[in-house]
Amino acid sequence: MLRLSRSIHKHQNLLASAHYSTADAKQLEHGVFAAKRTGDCMLGRTPAQLARTPPIGYVYLGADIEYLKALELQQWLVRKRIDEIHGQHQQPGKQQDREAWKDRKYPDVLLLLQHAPVYTNGRRNRGKLAAAEIERLCKSGDHAEYVETSRGGEITFHGPGQLVVYPIMHLRDHGLGARCFVDGLENSVIETCARFAVDAHRMAGFPGVWTSDTQKIAALGTRCQRYVTSHGVALNCTTDLRWFDRIVPCGLDGKVATSLEHILLHRGDDGGGDRTASEPDVSVNSVLPVMLDSFASAFGCDVVPLERLSPATFSEIQTKLASIDQEPSIHASHL
């Protein structure tokens, strides 16, 4: 069940205030987290362009969110953005104005959540996985769904303990192209990992974020329609990595999935051991505010609660989620 009105207020109590100190993640204060722009990220833009970047409103949907229902919400938001930006009532030439966002109803939105267990495949593999293989994925051990999507990338897993970030952004408002947008997402994850003392990086020719030549900590797959983005990035925080044993993650032989928790638990020459008191909490609740702060830094924009940025949009999302909750559960193997 998608319960935005309850999950967002509950989660805001776990987030830091606007004065969040990344140096001490334990000192999270009660209140609303607002990540402030730092202006240190260029992504091919000039300082003047960065000064005009619009704010982004975030919404945390909670855990155990069905993939297809979250996808329906994304698609609905993308249509709203495209219709408003490119609709017939748009003033001539206004869509090219870098500050046209000030006159729009719908802002950029970050959807954050944890999915119920699901394997998703990219558009290049639509219809290519045999029925027997789909059945093996979904029914061996714990139950999972299988969904073919319109995003880029290969097969991957989403589930509990994994922080998923879906930006619904109009790239032209930010002066970004698709490649720079992907770089920004990767930078957000790399900075987030660094704040938990995990060294992560990108690898040429391999999408996503890596902690070694063989270990991938975050999968990335995006879609862009008329400069409006959807899908996004998934960071393994405390994910049960056994889910990845059923697949070749992202279609890369010889590569494996890892997580913040796995790296911290197995750090050191002894190759393992119990969590110590000095190790940071890497649950989704703890990683989420750091991700928001890193996203703001990477894209050079403010990230604030959507309820504050656009109460009307927040209300419409609540209504949409309520209507989705009223629909029968979806169990399709592809979309």
Side-chain angles (χ1 to χ4, degrees), residues 279-334:
E279 291 172 345
D281 177 8
V282 290
S283 65
V284 168
N285 284 341
S286 294
V287 174
L288 193 153
V290 180
M291 172 65 82
L292 291 174
D293 191 51
S294 298
F295 190 97
S297 175
F299 285 93
C301 63
D302 293 343
V303 179
V304 300
L306 181 62
E307 186 176 12
R308 182 198 302 173
L309 178 65
S310 177
T313 302
F314 183 84
S315 179
E316 284 196 41
I317 289 178
Q318 286 183 303
T319 302
K320 179 62 179 177
L321 291 176
S323 70
I324 293 175
D325 273 343
Q326 297 303 314
E327 298 174 0
S329 296
I330 306 170
H331 296 291
S333 62
H334 62 84

Coordinates of all heavy atoms in Angstrom, one line a residue, residues 279-334:
E279 N 31.3 1.8 13.6 CA 30.9 1.8 12.3 C 29.5 2.5 12.1 O 28.7 2.4 13.0 CB 30.7 0.3 11.8 CG 32.0 -0.4 11.7 CD 31.8 -1.9 11.4 OE1 30.7 -2.4 11.6 OE2 32.8 -2.5 11.0
P280 N 29.4 3.3 11.1 CA 28.2 4.1 10.9 C 26.9 3.2 10.6 O 27.0 2.1 10.1 CB 28.5 5.0 9.7 CG 29.5 4.2 8.9 CD 30.3 3.5 10.0
D281 N 25.8 3.8 11.0 CA 24.5 3.2 10.6 C 24.3 3.4 9.1 O 24.2 4.6 8.7 CB 23.4 3.8 11.5 CG 22.0 3.2 11.1 OD1 21.9 2.3 10.3 OD2 21.0 3.8 11.7
V282 N 24.1 2.4 8.3 CA 23.9 2.5 6.9 C 22.5 2.0 6.5 O 22.3 1.6 5.4 CB 25.0 1.8 6.1 CG1 26.3 2.6 6.2 CG2 25.1 0.4 6.5
S283 N 21.5 2.1 7.4 CA 20.2 1.8 7.1 C 19.7 2.8 6.1 O 20.2 3.9 6.0 CB 19.3 1.8 8.3 OG 19.2 3.1 8.9
V284 N 18.6 2.5 5.4 CA 18.0 3.5 4.4 C 17.7 4.8 5.1 O 17.9 5.9 4.6 CB 16.8 2.9 3.7 CG1 16.1 4.0 2.9 CG2 17.3 1.8 2.7
N285 N 17.1 4.7 6.3 CA 16.8 5.9 7.1 C 17.9 6.8 7.3 O 17.8 8.1 7.4 CB 16.1 5.5 8.4 CG 14.7 5.0 8.2 OD1 14.0 5.3 7.2 ND2 14.2 4.3 9.3
S286 N 19.1 6.2 7.6 CA 20.3 7.0 7.8 C 20.9 7.5 6.5 O 21.5 8.7 6.5 CB 21.3 6.2 8.6 OG 20.9 5.9 9.9
V287 N 20.9 6.8 5.5 CA 21.5 7.1 4.2 C 20.7 8.2 3.4 O 21.2 9.0 2.7 CB 21.7 5.9 3.3 CG1 22.3 6.3 1.9 CG2 22.7 4.9 4.0
L288 N 19.4 8.1 3.6 CA 18.5 9.0 2.8 C 18.9 10.5 2.9 O 19.0 11.2 1.9 CB 17.0 8.8 3.2 CG 16.0 9.3 2.2 CD1 14.7 8.5 2.3 CD2 15.7 10.8 2.6
P289 N 19.0 11.1 4.2 CA 19.3 12.5 4.2 C 20.7 12.8 3.6 O 20.9 13.9 3.1 CB 19.3 12.8 5.7 CG 19.4 11.5 6.4 CD 18.8 10.5 5.5
V290 N 21.6 11.9 3.7 CA 22.9 12.1 3.1 C 22.8 12.1 1.6 O 23.5 12.9 0.9 CB 23.9 11.0 3.6 CG1 25.3 11.3 3.0 CG2 24.0 11.1 5.1
M291 N 22.0 11.2 1.1 CA 21.8 11.2 -0.4 C 21.2 12.5 -0.9 O 21.6 13.1 -1.9 CB 20.9 10.0 -0.8 CG 20.4 10.0 -2.2 SD 21.8 9.8 -3.4 CE 22.0 8.0 -3.3
L292 N 20.2 13.0 -0.1 CA 19.6 14.3 -0.5 C 20.6 15.4 -0.5 O 20.6 16.3 -1.4 CB 18.5 14.7 0.5 CG 17.2 13.8 0.4 CD1 16.2 14.2 1.5 CD2 16.5 13.9 -1.0
D293 N 21.5 15.5 0.5 CA 22.5 16.5 0.6 C 23.5 16.3 -0.6 O 23.9 17.3 -1.2 CB 23.2 16.4 1.9 CG 24.1 17.6 2.2 OD1 23.7 18.7 2.0 OD2 25.3 17.4 2.5
S294 N 23.9 15.1 -0.9 CA 24.8 14.8 -2.0 C 24.2 15.1 -3.3 O 24.9 15.7 -4.2 CB 25.2 13.3 -2.0 OG 25.9 13.0 -0.8
F295 N 22.9 14.9 -3.5 CA 22.2 15.2 -4.7 C 22.2 16.7 -5.0 O 22.5 17.2 -6.1 CB 20.8 14.7 -4.7 CG 20.0 14.7 -6.0 CD1 20.0 13.6 -6.8 CD2 19.4 15.9 -6.4 CE1 19.3 13.7 -8.1 CE2 18.7 16.0 -7.6 CZ 18.7 14.9 -8.5
A296 N 21.9 17.5 -3.9 CA 21.9 18.9 -4.0 C 23.3 19.4 -4.4 O 23.5 20.3 -5.2 CB 21.5 19.5 -2.7
S297 N 24.3 18.8 -3.8 CA 25.7 19.2 -4.1 C 26.1 18.9 -5.5 O 26.7 19.7 -6.3 CB 26.7 18.5 -3.1 OG 28.0 18.8 -3.5
A298 N 25.7 17.7 -6.0 CA 26.1 17.2 -7.3 C 25.4 18.0 -8.4 O 26.0 18.3 -9.5 CB 25.7 15.7 -7.5
F299 N 24.1 18.5 -8.2 CA 23.4 19.2 -9.2 C 23.4 20.7 -9.0 O 22.8 21.4 -9.9 CB 22.0 18.6 -9.3 CG 21.9 17.3 -10.0 CD1 22.0 16.1 -9.3 CD2 21.8 17.2 -11.4 CE1 21.9 14.9 -10.0 CE2 21.8 16.0 -12.1 CZ 21.8 14.8 -11.3
G300 N 23.9 21.2 -7.9 CA 24.0 22.6 -7.7 C 22.6 23.2 -7.5 O 22.3 24.3 -8.0
C301 N 21.7 22.5 -6.8 CA 20.3 23.1 -6.6 C 19.9 22.8 -5.1 O 20.5 22.0 -4.4 CB 19.4 22.4 -7.6 SG 19.2 20.7 -7.4
D302 N 18.8 23.5 -4.7 CA 18.2 23.2 -3.4 C 17.3 22.0 -3.5 O 16.6 21.8 -4.5 CB 17.4 24.4 -3.0 CG 18.3 25.6 -2.7 OD1 19.5 25.4 -2.5 OD2 17.7 26.7 -2.6
V303 N 17.3 21.2 -2.5 CA 16.4 20.0 -2.4 C 15.6 20.2 -1.1 O 16.2 20.2 0.0 CB 17.2 18.7 -2.4 CG1 16.2 17.5 -2.3 CG2 18.0 18.6 -3.7
V304 N 14.3 20.4 -1.2 CA 13.4 20.7 -0.1 C 12.2 19.8 -0.1 O 11.9 19.2 -1.1 CB 13.0 22.1 -0.1 CG1 14.2 23.1 -0.1 CG2 12.2 22.4 -1.4
P305 N 11.5 19.6 1.0 CA 10.3 18.8 1.0 C 9.3 19.3 0.0 O 9.0 20.5 -0.1 CB 9.8 19.0 2.5 CG 11.0 19.3 3.3 CD 11.9 20.1 2.4
L306 N 8.7 18.4 -0.8 CA 7.8 18.9 -1.8 C 6.6 19.5 -1.1 O 6.0 20.5 -1.7 CB 7.3 17.6 -2.6 CG 6.3 17.9 -3.7 CD1 6.9 18.9 -4.8 CD2 5.8 16.6 -4.4
E307 N 6.2 19.1 0.0 CA 5.0 19.7 0.7 C 5.2 21.2 0.9 O 4.3 22.0 1.0 CB 4.8 19.0 2.0 CG 3.5 19.4 2.7 CD 3.3 18.6 4.0 OE1 4.2 17.8 4.4 OE2 2.1 18.7 4.5
R308 N 6.5 21.6 1.2 CA 6.8 23.0 1.4 C 7.0 23.7 0.0 O 6.5 24.8 -0.1 CB 8.1 23.1 2.2 CG 8.5 24.5 2.5 CD 10.0 24.7 2.8 NE 10.3 23.8 4.0 CZ 11.6 23.7 4.4 NH1 12.6 24.2 3.8 NH2 11.8 22.9 5.5
L309 N 7.6 23.0 -0.9 CA 7.9 23.7 -2.2 C 6.6 23.9 -3.0 O 6.4 25.0 -3.6 CB 8.9 22.8 -3.0 CG 9.3 23.3 -4.4 CD1 10.0 24.7 -4.3 CD2 10.1 22.3 -5.2
S310 N 5.8 22.9 -3.1 CA 4.6 23.0 -3.9 C 3.5 22.2 -3.2 O 3.2 21.0 -3.5 CB 4.8 22.4 -5.3 OG 3.6 22.4 -6.1
P311 N 2.7 22.8 -2.3 CA 1.7 22.1 -1.6 C 0.6 21.5 -2.6 O 0.1 20.4 -2.3 CB 1.0 23.2 -0.7 CG 2.1 24.2 -0.5 CD 2.9 24.2 -1.8
A312 N 0.4 22.2 -3.7 CA -0.6 21.7 -4.6 C -0.2 20.4 -5.3 O -1.0 19.5 -5.4 CB -0.9 22.8 -5.7
T313 N 1.1 20.4 -5.7 CA 1.6 19.1 -6.3 C 1.6 18.0 -5.3 O 1.3 16.9 -5.6 CB 3.0 19.4 -6.8 OG1 3.0 20.4 -7.8 CG2 3.6 18.1 -7.5
F314 N 2.0 18.3 -4.0 CA 2.1 17.3 -3.0 C 0.7 16.7 -2.8 O 0.5 15.5 -2.7 CB 2.6 17.9 -1.7 CG 2.7 17.0 -0.5 CD1 3.8 16.2 -0.4 CD2 1.7 16.9 0.4 CE1 3.9 15.3 0.7 CE2 1.8 16.0 1.5 CZ 2.9 15.2 1.6
S315 N -0.3 17.6 -2.8 CA -1.7 17.2 -2.6 C -2.2 16.3 -3.8 O -2.8 15.3 -3.6 CB -2.6 18.4 -2.5 OG -4.0 18.0 -2.3
E316 N -1.8 16.7 -5.0 CA -2.2 15.9 -6.2 C -1.5 14.5 -6.1 O -2.1 13.5 -6.5 CB -1.8 16.6 -7.5 CG -2.7 17.7 -7.8 CD -2.5 18.2 -9.3 OE1 -2.4 17.3 -10.2 OE2 -2.5 19.4 -9.5
I317 N -0.3 14.4 -5.7 CA 0.4 13.1 -5.5 C -0.3 12.3 -4.5 O -0.5 11.0 -4.7 CB 1.9 13.3 -5.2 CG1 2.6 13.9 -6.4 CG2 2.5 12.0 -4.7 CD1 4.1 14.2 -6.1
Q318 N -0.8 12.9 -3.4 CA -1.5 12.1 -2.4 C -2.8 11.5 -3.0 O -3.1 10.3 -2.8 CB -1.9 13.0 -1.2 CG -0.8 13.3 -0.3 CD -1.2 14.2 0.9 OE1 -1.8 15.3 0.7 NE2 -1.0 13.7 2.1
T319 N -3.5 12.3 -3.8 CA -4.7 11.9 -4.4 C -4.4 10.8 -5.4 O -5.1 9.8 -5.5 CB -5.4 13.0 -5.2 OG1 -5.7 14.1 -4.2 CG2 -6.7 12.6 -5.8
K320 N -3.4 10.9 -6.2 CA -3.0 9.9 -7.2 C -2.6 8.6 -6.5 O -3.0 7.5 -6.9 CB -1.8 10.4 -8.0 CG -1.3 9.4 -9.1 CD -2.4 9.0 -10.1 CE -1.9 8.0 -11.1 NZ -3.0 7.6 -12.1
L321 N -1.9 8.7 -5.4 CA -1.5 7.5 -4.7 C -2.7 6.8 -4.1 O -2.8 5.5 -4.1 CB -0.5 7.8 -3.6 CG 0.9 8.2 -4.0 CD1 1.7 8.6 -2.8 CD2 1.6 7.1 -4.8
A322 N -3.7 7.5 -3.6 CA -4.9 7.0 -3.1 C -5.6 6.2 -4.2 O -6.2 5.1 -3.9 CB -5.8 8.0 -2.5
S323 N -5.7 6.8 -5.4 CA -6.3 6.1 -6.5 C -5.6 4.8 -6.9 O -6.2 3.8 -7.3 CB -6.5 7.0 -7.7 OG -5.2 7.3 -8.3
I324 N -4.3 4.9 -6.9 CA -3.5 3.7 -7.2 C -3.8 2.6 -6.2 O -3.9 1.4 -6.5 CB -2.0 4.0 -7.3 CG1 -1.7 4.9 -8.4 CG2 -1.2 2.7 -7.4 CD1 -0.2 5.4 -8.5
D325 N -3.9 3.0 -4.9 CA -4.2 2.0 -3.8 C -5.5 1.3 -4.1 O -5.7 0.2 -3.6 CB -4.2 2.7 -2.5 CG -2.8 2.7 -1.9 OD1 -1.9 2.0 -2.3 OD2 -2.6 3.5 -1.0
Q326 N -6.4 2.0 -4.7 CA -7.7 1.4 -5.0 C -7.8 0.4 -6.1 O -8.7 -0.3 -6.3 CB -8.8 2.5 -5.2 CG -9.0 3.4 -4.0 CD -9.4 2.7 -2.8 OE1 -10.3 1.9 -2.8 NE2 -8.7 3.0 -1.7
E327 N -6.7 0.4 -6.9 CA -6.6 -0.5 -8.1 C -6.3 -1.9 -7.6 O -5.6 -2.1 -6.6 CB -5.6 0.0 -9.1 CG -5.9 1.4 -9.7 CD -4.8 1.9 -10.5 OE1 -3.8 1.2 -10.7 OE2 -4.9 3.1 -11.1
P328 N -6.7 -2.9 -8.4 CA -6.3 -4.3 -8.0 C -4.7 -4.4 -8.1 O -4.1 -3.7 -8.9 CB -6.9 -5.1 -9.1 CG -8.0 -4.3 -9.7 CD -7.6 -2.8 -9.5
S329 N -4.2 -5.3 -7.3 CA -2.7 -5.5 -7.4 C -2.3 -6.0 -8.8 O -3.0 -6.8 -9.4 CB -2.4 -6.6 -6.3 OG -2.6 -6.1 -5.0
I330 N -1.2 -5.5 -9.2 CA -0.7 -5.8 -10.6 C 0.3 -6.9 -10.5 O 1.3 -6.7 -9.7 CB -0.1 -4.5 -11.2 CG1 -1.2 -3.4 -11.1 CG2 0.3 -4.8 -12.6 CD1 -0.6 -2.0 -11.5
H331 N 0.2 -7.9 -11.3 CA 1.2 -9.0 -11.3 C 1.6 -9.3 -12.7 O 1.9 -10.5 -13.0 CB 0.6 -10.2 -10.6 CG 0.3 -10.0 -9.1 ND1 1.2 -9.8 -8.2 CD2 -0.9 -9.9 -8.5 CE1 0.6 -9.7 -7.0 NE2 -0.7 -9.7 -7.2
A332 N 1.7 -8.3 -13.5 CA 2.2 -8.5 -14.9 C 3.7 -8.8 -14.9 O 4.4 -8.3 -14.0 CB 1.9 -7.3 -15.8
S333 N 4.1 -9.6 -15.9 CA 5.6 -9.9 -15.9 C 6.3 -8.8 -16.8 O 7.5 -8.8 -16.8 CB 5.8 -11.3 -16.6 OG 5.3 -11.3 -17.9
H334 N 5.6 -8.0 -17.4 CA 6.2 -6.9 -18.2 C 5.3 -5.7 -18.4 O 4.1 -5.8 -18.2 CB 6.7 -7.4 -19.6 CG 5.5 -7.9 -20.5 ND1 4.7 -7.0 -21.2 CD2 4.9 -9.1 -20.7 CE1 3.8 -7.7 -21.9 NE2 3.9 -8.9 -21.5

